[in-house]
């Protein structure tokens, strides 16, 4: 069963890899964000896959699952803070987006 779970996670990640370019982001518009929310179930399935694959020492899969749980809890708490409104929360979100936008890798097209 761990192979099936791993394959399901991989199949969820394939459309994310294909649509991660700026061109696809423009083409899909708002639907791009909806599609890329597949990362959450894919990450959970990846942790389950790793957990089931390991036979003896469960410490490493447990560490990955704990890290994923912490990140998902932070993301959930952050979305609740932003949903509740407040200028301070909106300002923090804008600063976070600007930092990520500056560090995001860009695809540079070479002239032909």
């Amino acid at each position: 069963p761990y192979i099936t779970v791993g394959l399901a996670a991989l199949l969820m990640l394939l459309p994310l890899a294909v649509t991660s370019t700026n061109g696809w982001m423009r083409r899909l518009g708002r639907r791009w964000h909806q599609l890329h929310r597949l990362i959450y179930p894919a990450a959970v399935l990846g942790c389950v896959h790793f957990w089931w694959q390991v036979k003896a020492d469960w410490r490493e899969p447990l560490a990955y699952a704990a890290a994923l749980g912490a990140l998902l809890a932070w993301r959930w708490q952050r979305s609740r803070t932003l949903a509740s409104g407040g200028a301070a929360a909106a300002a923090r979100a804008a600063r976070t987006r600007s930092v990520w936008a500056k560090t995001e890798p860009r695809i540079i097209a070479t002239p032909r």
Side-chain angles (χ1 to χ4, degrees), residues 2-98:
Y2 75 91
I3 293 175
T4 307
V5 171
L7 182 62
L10 179 66
L11 291 176
M12 286 182 184
L13 291 173
L14 282 176
L16 305 184
V18 170
T19 60
S20 288
T21 63
N22 290 336
W24 275 104
M25 289 173 71
R26 279 192 303 273
R27 278 181 238 151
L28 292 174
R30 183 180 296 157
R31 290 177 302 180
W32 184 86
H33 289 285
Q34 294 171 346
L35 176 65
H36 278 252
R37 287 189 184 132
L38 276 176
I39 192 63
Y40 301 118
V44 170
L45 287 177
C47 283
V48 170
H49 166 74
F50 189 27
W51 192 291
W52 285 352
Q53 180 183 5
V54 172
K55 301 294 184 214
D57 188 13
W58 286 18
R59 287 180 293 188
E60 189 176 4
L62 182 62
Y64 282 110
L68 177 65
L71 288 171
L72 289 177
W74 174 77
R75 179 79 176 167
W76 178 74
Q77 187 272 337
R78 185 173 169 261
S79 70
R80 286 180 47 94
T81 303
L82 292 177
S84 67
R92 277 194 308 276
R95 281 194 304 273
T96 303
R97 280 194 301 274
S98 70

